[in-house]
Amino acid sequence: MKTKLSGTPTCKFGMNDKVRLRKEASEGKLRRAVKVVSLDDVTFHRCVRLSKFDQDRTITFVPPDGEFELMKYRVTSEVLLPFRVIAIVNEKGRNRVEYDVKIKPKFREQLVANDVVVKIPVPPNATAKQKHIKVRSGKAKYYPTHNAIVWKFRRFLGSAKNGYRLQAEVQRLHSVKETPWVRPPITLQFTVPMFTSSGFHVRFLKVIENTGYSTVKWVRYITRAGQYQIRI
């Protein structure tokens, strides 16, 4: 959260918390159906009044100046992943490994993911020529220092529902002492503005100040990859 407020106003922050909304529904205060989210392991910044949260599940606080982290939480159910990756990796004897990797967006058509990077591992004793790496969108290149083919998209459109495909072939080099290849996972990096994997949404943000000066409030959603891995 980033604040630039005069004085010490009190702020109230409401969210689509499962406990709060179920209580409102039982009391007949909920006018329409709302997607709820179940939050676990919630921790707050020290400015938050914990007694108020325990009482009504709203976050009440007097914000410090500048940028700070108001809240951390964990969600374990109904998580919406922004991408689906389908990977087929075939080891052809001792000499070749073939890859057929597809990536599809799972977010709305109006949204765009930025700086998408797909890192596809190859055996440590392998080499790949650029002509054997084929993509129709994005840029893909073999990086021997990473033991991986790295496939990059500057912008990934949500409207590309059929997704994109990479086909590649790498050659394996033989050594005196050969060990089976333990396949690391494919990893993803990305940023998706205006998208939440957890389903978390802000219901209201109020600034309570006795002098009555006007405030400008806005909310921006953004999802970034943490440890986003796909086993192959």
Side-chain angles (χ1 to χ4, degrees):
M1 178 169 283
K2 185 183 293 184
T3 61
K4 295 181 180 179
L5 298 172
S6 301
T8 55
T10 298
C11 298
K12 292 191 72 173
F13 183 96
M15 53 196 172
N16 58 332
D17 173 60
K18 183 177 181 179
V19 176
R20 166 83 181 191
L21 293 180
R22 280 190 172 179
K23 182 180 179 182
E24 288 187 12
S26 65
E27 295 172 351
K29 297 179 180 179
L30 197 63
R31 296 180 181 179
R32 58 186 178 86
V34 179
K35 178 179 172 61
V36 299
V37 60
S38 182
L39 305 178
D40 298 318
D41 300 335
V42 181
T43 58
F44 295 106
H45 188 273
R46 60 180 179 272
C47 69
V48 175
R49 298 172 186 171
L50 298 180
S51 59
K52 288 290 292 180
F53 181 77
D54 293 336
Q55 179 182 344
D56 60 11
R57 303 294 286 190
T58 60
I59 303 172
T60 304
F61 59 102
V62 177
D65 289 334
E67 191 170 346
F68 64 100
E69 189 173 74
L70 179 66
M71 171 185 174
K72 283 184 178 181
Y73 63 92
R74 183 170 59 89
V75 174
T76 56
S77 61
E78 298 185 26
V79 177
L80 178 60
L81 300 179
F83 292 99
R84 182 186 180 196
V85 177
I86 305 168
I88 300 174
V89 180
N90 289 323
E91 297 183 50
K92 298 291 186 178
R94 300 171 58 196
N95 300 323
R96 287 187 300 128
V97 182
E98 293 180 349
Y99 295 83
D100 191 343
V101 181
K102 296 178 182 177
I103 179 170
K104 297 182 179 182
K106 303 295 288 184
F107 44 87
R108 298 197 310 272
E109 293 184 0
Q110 300 88 338
L111 302 183
V112 177
N114 299 318
D115 301 322
V116 179
V117 179
V118 187
K119 190 175 180 181
I120 305 164
V122 303
N125 61 336
T127 183
K129 295 182 179 180
Q130 192 63 34
K131 66 180 181 180
H132 293 153
I133 302 173
K134 299 177 182 179
V135 294
R136 290 189 176 181
S137 186
K139 295 181 179 180
K141 185 178 179 181
Y142 169 64
Y143 288 85
T145 53
H146 296 282
N147 290 325
I149 297 170
V150 180
W151 189 13
K152 297 181 179 181
F153 300 84
R154 189 174 63 85
R155 287 164 53 87
F156 200 116
L157 303 179
S159 57
K161 292 305 179 185
N162 292 328
Y164 301 112
R165 184 180 187 182
L166 174 145
Q167 293 176 296
E169 177 185 301
V170 301
Q171 299 293 325
R172 301 185 68 174
L173 306 176
H174 296 295
S175 60
V176 176
K177 185 179 180 181
E178 292 190 7
T179 57
W181 179 37
V182 179
R183 300 181 181 183
I186 293 174
T187 60
L188 260 70
Q189 298 174 17
F190 53 81
T191 300
V192 189
M194 302 308 296
F195 174 84
T196 60
S197 289
S198 64
F200 181 97
H201 287 283
V202 177
R203 297 182 65 208
F204 61 83
L205 176 59
K206 299 178 181 178
V207 180
I208 305 168
E209 217 285 331
N210 293 330
T211 61
Y213 67 78
S214 61
T215 58
V216 177
K217 298 170 288 186
W218 54 273
V219 177
R220 181 179 67 168
Y221 298 100
I222 190 165
T223 295
R224 292 189 178 94
Q227 292 184 340
Y228 200 108
Q229 301 179 339
I230 302 95
R231 294 180 181 179
I232 57 176

